[in-house]
Amino acid sequence: MTISGEPFKLRDHQKDCFKISLSGELQGNDSVTLRQEVERYSISDYDVIYLDTREVTGLDLSFVNEIIHSDATLKNTGKSLVFLYRQGSTIEKWIETTGLDKFVTTAMVPAEG
């Protein structure tokens, strides 16, 4: 797993947002790294954190659970998580299988987007 982050601005949104980008294979042992990153931004000035998984090639169920935990962590500090994924990806299949979108705000980009 590779992880990076950057602030960005959305039109019609007063505050800056932050995007945590993940790529590669996401396995349970990567959960600690994501948890630390989310906790760092849970005490920041950003009110919306995007978790960008468009470049993720695979993940396991423990990582799906970590996404739900990340959402809860941010909600507890008055922030929100938006889980961004690519249409037709492995992530989309996990969302359909687990019903993740019932617990976490999701945003899908087209397969070529």
Side-chain angles (χ1 to χ4, degrees):
M1 173 184 86
T2 303
I3 189 166
S4 62
E6 64 182 343
F8 69 100
K9 200 78 161 126
L10 285 175
R11 198 174 3 171
D12 301 328
H13 191 75
Q14 301 255 331
K15 287 189 170 184
D16 287 341
C17 300
F18 196 84
K19 177 175 68 171
I20 300 171
S21 299
L22 305 172
S23 61
E25 289 280 328
L26 307 179
Q27 303 300 320
N29 54 351
D30 295 318
S31 296
V32 172
T33 304
L34 177 60
R35 187 172 292 207
Q36 290 170 341
E37 196 76 0
V38 168
E39 287 174 355
R40 180 165 51 143
Y41 293 105
S42 71
I43 57 172
S44 70
D45 290 335
Y46 302 108
D47 60 341
V48 180
I49 309 296
Y50 281 75
L51 188 56
D52 183 353
T53 62
R54 292 177 294 169
E55 302 301 322
V56 168
T57 56
L59 75 158
D60 64 12
L61 184 57
S62 64
F63 214 86
V64 172
N65 291 332
E66 189 58 37
I67 294 162
I68 294 169
H69 179 270
S70 295
D71 182 63
T73 297
L74 291 170
K75 282 182 181 169
N76 285 338
T77 60
K79 300 180 185 314
S80 60
L81 175 77
V82 177
F83 185 71
L84 182 64
Y85 66 97
R86 187 176 304 284
Q87 183 181 25
S89 67
T90 303
I91 302 281
E92 183 179 29
K93 291 179 182 94
W94 272 108
I95 289 171
E96 291 171 0
T97 301
T98 63
L100 181 66
D101 56 336
K102 293 180 177 86
F103 305 101
V104 176
T105 302
T106 61
M108 180 176 58
V109 296
E112 298 298 317

